Amino acid sequence: MSKVLLEVKNLKKYFKTKRGPLHAVDDINFTINKGETLGLVGESGCGKSTTGRVVLRLLEATGGEVLFNGQNMLDFKKKQMAEFRQDAQIVFQDPFASLNPRMSVSEIIKEPLVINKTFDNKADVTKRVKELMDTVGLATRLENAYPHELDGGRRQRIGIARALALNPSFIVQDEPVSALDVSIQAQILNLMDDLQKELKLTYLFISHDLSVIKHVSDNIAIMYLGKIVEMSDYASVFKNPLHPYTKALLSAIPVPSVDVKRERIILEGDVPSPINPPPGCRFYGRCYERLDKCKDNTPELIEVSKGRWCACHVVNK
């Protein structure tokens, strides 16, 4: 029995613009094993949230494959997609914008149960809603409250409860704590960690915050301008980063000690346009370790050692 739940092969997503196709996701590959978390990290605009949406087919892919339990989800017909929707869910970044302001807490959580006709009677639906509220730490007294009456942490718990309603095996976490206060972030992260262990969930966790990614991930993929530049287990990435971009990202993490001195890598230049990406390495214009061949030759993501992948001519020379 395969341990791989999700396998992404040569995935592409281009958006049509007046100036030409915008290369949001450009030929990426990764796998996620059952019960594990892949942290997808990068700057704003690098394509990580688009990746999460294409993987769930909230956006249609331009090319490539998304294998879910060995089947290409991009080829699913209506009935297969309905079954897939029950097995794969998403928790959005903004816990207020993702909730219907005209529905109460209980109505929001029970909506997927009603749409999918999970239960035959209202009593079972009500019971399931209360179970879900208890699971995510929402008091029963809040069942008739509306999103605007609650704080950000409680709103995000509603989103998590809604995502869990149909007993999925895979959840995309699209920056689920970036809009929350730091103290609330820790509560939500611990909740999701506990739920993963209890319910044997698999996560694609998207974030721009490496300290959060380190806390939640088994493996990490670093994304830059639509491409994955480095991928490995979290310990290897933090102890010995390979790609110059990864090194720059790690150097930006604040260290809570005045005694620790760390060289700060300042990247110069601007991120190239995804509408007209440059030939060769897309990080070339900002790279402090670049070689002449980096300008015109696109580096491939190759396995440089067991479990460690990097797309860099400097590393792979």
Side-chain angles (χ1 to χ4, degrees):
M1 183 178 177
S2 174
K3 292 199 307 180
V4 175
L5 178 71
L6 184 80
E7 184 175 6
V8 171
K9 294 182 177 181
N10 306 114
L11 186 65
K12 299 183 179 76
K13 176 58 184 177
Y14 302 159
F15 293 98
K16 292 182 180 179
T17 72
K18 292 181 180 179
R19 294 165 53 198
L22 187 152
H23 297 234
V25 179
D26 204 356
D27 199 20
I28 65 170
N29 298 271
F30 61 82
T31 61
I32 310 178
N33 291 330
K34 293 176 182 177
E36 293 186 356
T37 299
L38 175 68
L40 188 60
V41 64
E43 295 173 286
S44 295
C46 72
K48 54 189 187 296
S49 290
T50 302
T51 299
R53 283 164 168 75
V54 174
V55 162
L56 292 179
R57 209 170 161 184
L58 297 178
L59 295 171
E60 291 294 338
T62 303
E65 295 180 307
V66 178
L67 303 181
F68 188 78
N69 280 321
Q71 294 182 294
N72 186 9
M73 178 272 297
L74 301 182
D75 292 335
F76 282 179
K77 303 302 180 185
K78 187 174 181 180
K79 183 179 179 181
Q80 290 174 299
M81 276 307 301
E83 294 172 354
F84 173 75
R85 293 276 182 235
Q86 296 184 43
D87 212 17
Q89 291 288 320
I90 185 170
V91 176
F92 293 96
Q93 177 178 357
D94 189 338
F96 188 64
S98 64
L99 303 177
N100 189 332
R102 298 186 178 185
M103 296 175 71
S104 66
V105 172
S106 61
E107 289 172 333
I108 291 170
I109 296 174
K110 78 179 181 183
E111 186 177 26
L113 300 172
V114 173
I115 290 173
N116 288 276
K117 301 177 182 178
T118 308
F119 298 103
D120 295 327
N121 57 74
K122 292 182 179 180
D124 289 337
V125 172
T126 302
K127 181 181 177 182
R128 176 60 175 158
V129 169
K130 290 182 178 180
E131 287 176 356
L132 288 164
M133 290 181 67
D134 184 59
T135 299
V136 301
L138 284 170
T140 306
R141 61 183 172 80
L142 298 175
E143 63 183 353
N144 294 318
Y146 288 85
H148 72 272
E149 299 176 306
L150 306 174
D151 59 40
R154 287 193 177 94
R155 289 174 194 154
Q156 197 60 290
R157 289 174 190 268
I158 298 170
I160 295 170
R162 178 178 61 186
L164 293 174
L166 299 173
N167 294 314
S169 61
F170 175 63
I171 298 179
V172 173
Q173 307 273 3
D174 186 12
E175 304 209 38
V177 297
S178 62
L180 306 178
D181 293 337
V182 175
S183 59
I184 305 300
Q185 284 185 13
Q187 294 176 21
I188 298 300
L189 290 174
N190 289 333
L191 169 64
M192 291 189 296
D193 186 47
D194 292 340
L195 291 172
Q196 183 175 34
K197 293 173 182 175
E198 180 183 345
L199 303 174
K200 296 180 174 59
L201 297 170
T202 304
Y203 291 155
L204 172 61
F205 195 101
I206 298 165
S207 180
H208 63 272
D209 190 335
L210 271 166
S211 57
V212 170
I213 287 289
K214 181 181 180 180
H215 178 76
V216 302
S217 302
D218 296 289
N219 298 293
I220 297 175
I222 310 294
M223 199 166 184
Y224 184 80
L225 201 65
K227 287 188 174 290
I228 291 176
V229 297
E230 184 170 351
M231 187 163 54
S232 181
D233 63 280
Y234 82 92
S236 297
V237 169
F238 279 85
K239 288 180 181 178
N240 181 31
L242 299 176
H243 199 280
Y245 178 60
T246 308
K247 295 175 183 177
L249 286 179
L250 290 172
S251 77
I253 299 176
V255 179
S257 174
V258 294
D259 299 323
V260 177
K261 293 183 179 180
R262 185 172 59 190
E263 182 183 357
R264 178 75 168 87
I265 299 173
I266 306 296
L267 296 178
E268 299 180 354
D270 297 323
V271 179
S273 170
I275 294 176
N276 187 25
C281 178
R282 295 185 179 182
F283 190 57
Y284 175 82
R286 306 174 73 195
C287 186
Y288 50 92
E289 297 183 23
R290 63 192 177 198
L291 304 173
D292 290 339
K293 69 176 181 179
C294 299
K295 185 174 183 179
D296 299 311
N297 298 292
T298 303
E300 294 183 15
L301 185 69
I302 65 173
E303 192 171 17
V304 296
S305 61
K306 187 174 181 180
R308 300 216 65 183
W309 298 76
C310 188
C312 180
H313 291 307
V314 176
V315 175
N316 301 334
K317 63 183 177 181

